[in-house]
């Protein structure tokens, strides 16, 4: 079986990305790597990784000027593959187990909206176009990482859209980008706290801790409401913490 698309954002630890790409076990029509390191010199290295993977039919490496962050990267994938019924996304620190990608794709390929992950984890996930039509895009104000998935869970629940998990053996290291760099680790402490603060303002409680607002910010807005706050995103960019380049 062939899967239509797969997007993998990456910030650093390209050795882990190589392991992720090597573990792909089914034919992928289009593989997109979002090189959030913002370093164009990494593109050739990434393409070499993909060239040794016979399961990839075609690929594209995208290098933004700055780190887009998780939510914006996921939204970019949704927009780029807008003609597909299913959008598949994975973190770079994931190793795929045999059959998981196909099972994930098949579970999401449904005429009713649904969002599907593996073993309680959203780091390999698929959502279908019907889900995006109902729930909307991911809130990019959760930047650069964390809480964007919990926000989407909340919005799915309030929209009566199922978010479900399939069993699988794929592995996820978890938070490898900032754990491998002390400066990024300190930056994450600051930005995670700010994202939790934003989540409390939006839903009335910390993530998965009794959110009770039934509309964003308790103000009666539509459930897909969010407005990009450029100043907020710029302030949360990790390059502000110490000697960090964009990305």
């Amino acid at each position: 079986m062939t899967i239509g698309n797969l997007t993998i954002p990456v910030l650093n630890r390209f050795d882990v990305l190589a392991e992720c790409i090597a573990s792909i076990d089914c034919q992928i029509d289009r593989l997109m790597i979002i090189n959030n390191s913002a370093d164009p010199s990494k593109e050739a290295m990434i393409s070499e990784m993909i060239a040794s993977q016979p399961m990839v039919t075609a690929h594209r490496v995208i290098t933004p000027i700055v780190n887009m962050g998780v939510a914006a990267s996921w939204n970019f994938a949704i927009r780029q593959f807008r003609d597909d019924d299913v959008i598949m996304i994975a973190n770079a620190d994931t190793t795929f187990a045999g059959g998981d990608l196909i099972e994930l794709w098949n579970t999401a390929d449904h005429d009713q909206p649904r969002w599907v992950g593996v073993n309680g984890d959203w780091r390999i996930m698929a959502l279908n176009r019907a889900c995006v039509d109902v729930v909307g895009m991911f809130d990019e104000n959760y930047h650069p990482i964390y809480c964007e998935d919990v926000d989407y869970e909340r919005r799915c629940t309030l929209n009566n859209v199922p978010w479900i998990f399939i069993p699988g053996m794929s592995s996820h290291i978890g938070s490898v980008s900032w754990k491998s760099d002390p400066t990024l680790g300190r930056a994450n402490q600051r930005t995670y706290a700010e994202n939790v603060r934003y989540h409390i303002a939006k839903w009335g409680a910390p993530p998965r801790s009794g959110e009770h607002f039934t509309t964003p910010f308790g103000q009666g807005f539509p459930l897909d409401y969010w407005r990009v706050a450029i100043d907020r995103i710029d302030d949360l960019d990790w390059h502000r913490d110490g000697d960090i380049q964009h990305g």
Side-chain angles (χ1 to χ4, degrees), residues 66 187 190 234 236-247:
V66 295
R190 176 178 69 87
D234 186 57
L236 293 179
D237 197 312
W238 282 351
H239 81 277
R240 289 185 172 274
D241 297 77
D243 186 21
I244 304 175
Q245 299 299 313
H246 282 278

Side-chain angles (χ1 to χ4, degrees), residues 40-110:
S41 71
K42 303 295 186 185
E43 292 181 12
M45 177 183 64
I46 295 170
S47 290
E48 287 179 8
M49 297 176 189
I50 300 169
S52 63
Q53 171 50 272
M55 305 304 287
V56 176
T57 304
H59 78 275
R60 183 72 61 86
V61 180
I62 304 295
T63 302
I65 295 174
V66 295
N67 176 12
M68 287 197 287
V70 169
S73 295
W74 293 354
N75 285 344
F76 187 79
I78 291 170
R79 293 186 181 99
Q80 291 299 301
F81 298 118
R82 58 185 177 272
D83 294 331
D84 289 10
D85 291 332
V86 175
I87 300 93
M88 184 90 81
I89 300 169
N91 272 26
D93 60 347
T94 296
T95 301
F96 306 115
D100 282 0
L101 286 172
I102 290 175
E103 180 66 20
L104 192 64
W105 182 276
N106 287 340
T107 304
D109 190 11
H110 198 277

Side-chain angles (χ1 to χ4, degrees), residues 134-135 151-161 163 202-203 211-216 223:
V134 173
V135 182
D151 171 76
Y152 211 74
E153 287 176 3
R154 178 70 178 161
R155 289 157 56 196
C156 282
T157 298
L158 291 171
N159 276 299
N160 296 313
V161 170
W163 45 278
K202 187 172 183 180
W203 296 113
E211 295 96 321
H212 57 274
F213 291 168
T214 57
T215 62
L223 292 175

Side-chain angles (χ1 to χ4, degrees), residues 18-38:
E19 295 174 5
C20 177
I21 292 171
S23 70
I24 294 172
D25 72 317
C26 62
Q27 200 67 36
I28 306 289
D29 266 349
R30 292 158 296 167
L31 174 64
M32 181 168 65
I33 307 296
I34 301 178
N35 174 29
N36 275 324
S37 75

